[in-house]
């Protein structure tokens, strides 16, 4: 074998060894890259899953907070409505109590004083009058307000209050008292009322004057012999 052939074989062997080494290096590098890619893929999925898991509680927390805020707002509205209703009820109760007190005071202002007022005899106005007397009677009280115009219709508030005032200054029982006549006593704020008991054994003519916000005030009483309507 010649030296040339020996050298050629050595060169071929070196080339083959180098190629084999290069291939081995490439395989190692490829394996490392594959491992890295697999690692990214696996750990990337885990991170995404962790992010999703972390976002789900946050979303649930936000939903719970909104639901809680809505419930709090509804409860606050309901509480406000309850307070408003309580205020209205209290206001109505106070208004009712005030009206009752005012009505009671108006009634008592006349009824308590008129029964014990000292009377003074005056001259009879005609032959049908047995006796006549006056006194410093108080207005009987009224439920009427504002400008007053006398209503003579039976069952009106004026007629009821006139009957009460006349009964108190004559001593007749209002529940059984007979009203024979109620009419104008000289102007729109003065009236005359002729009344008696059931058997007409006690007959009276009562003169009354209207006092604004206080009601009918008796001014004179005449005891009559008989019922005569002028």
């Amino acid at each position: 074998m010649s030296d040339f052939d020996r050298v050629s074989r050595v060169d071929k062997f070196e080339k083959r060894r180098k190629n084999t080494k290069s291939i081995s290096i490439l395989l190692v590098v490829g394996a490392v890259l594959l491992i890295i890619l697999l690692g990214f893929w696996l750990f990337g999925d885990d991170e995404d899953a962790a992010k999703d898991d972390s976002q789900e509680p946050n979303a649930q927390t936000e939903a719970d907070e909104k639901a809680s805020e809505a419930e709090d707002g509804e409860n606050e509205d309901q509480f406000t409505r309850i307070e408003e209703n309580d205020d209205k009820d209290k206001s109505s109760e106070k208004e009712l109590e005030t009206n009752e007190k005012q009505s009671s005071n108006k009634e008592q202002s006349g009824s308590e004083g008129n029964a014990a007022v000292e009377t003074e005899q005056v001259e009879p106005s005609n032959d049908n009058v047995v006796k006549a007397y006056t006194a410093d009677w108080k207005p009987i009280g009224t439920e009427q307000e504002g400008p007053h115009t006398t209503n003579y219709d039976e069952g009106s508030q004026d007629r009821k209050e006139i009957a009460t005032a006349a009964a108190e200054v004559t001593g007749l029982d209002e529940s059984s008292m007979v009203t024979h006549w109620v009419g104008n006593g000289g102007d729109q704020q003065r009236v005359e009322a002729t009344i008696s008991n059931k058997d007409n054994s006690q007959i009276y003519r009562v003169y009354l004057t209207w006092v604004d916000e206080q009601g009918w005030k008796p001014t004179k009483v005449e005891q009559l012999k008989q019922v005569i309507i002028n």
Side-chain angles (χ1 to χ4, degrees), residues 47-62:
E47 289 179 357
D48 292 338
K51 289 181 180 179
D52 293 338
D53 291 341
S54 63
Q55 289 176 355
E56 286 182 0
N58 291 336
Q60 183 64 35
T61 301
E62 291 178 359

Side-chain angles (χ1 to χ4, degrees), residues 60-75:
Q60 183 64 35
T61 301
E62 291 178 359
D64 293 341
E65 288 177 353
K66 290 181 179 179
S68 178
E69 289 176 358
E71 184 176 357
D72 291 342
E74 183 178 354
N75 291 337

Side-chain angles (χ1 to χ4, degrees), residues 38-104:
L38 289 175
F40 278 132
W41 180 70
L42 291 175
F43 289 109
D45 288 344
D46 290 341
E47 289 179 357
D48 292 338
K51 289 181 180 179
D52 293 338
D53 291 341
S54 63
Q55 289 176 355
E56 286 182 0
N58 291 336
Q60 183 64 35
T61 301
E62 291 178 359
D64 293 341
E65 288 177 353
K66 290 181 179 179
S68 178
E69 289 176 358
E71 184 176 357
D72 291 342
E74 183 178 354
N75 291 337
E76 184 175 355
D77 291 341
Q78 184 176 3
F79 182 71
T80 302
R81 288 194 294 270
I82 292 174
E83 283 188 335
E84 290 176 352
N85 291 334
D86 289 342
D87 291 340
K88 289 180 181 178
D89 293 339
K90 291 178 180 179
S91 177
S92 299
E93 290 176 359
K94 288 182 179 179
E95 184 176 354
L96 180 60
E97 289 177 359
T98 301
N99 292 337
E100 288 178 351
K101 288 180 180 178
Q102 289 178 347
S103 178
S104 176

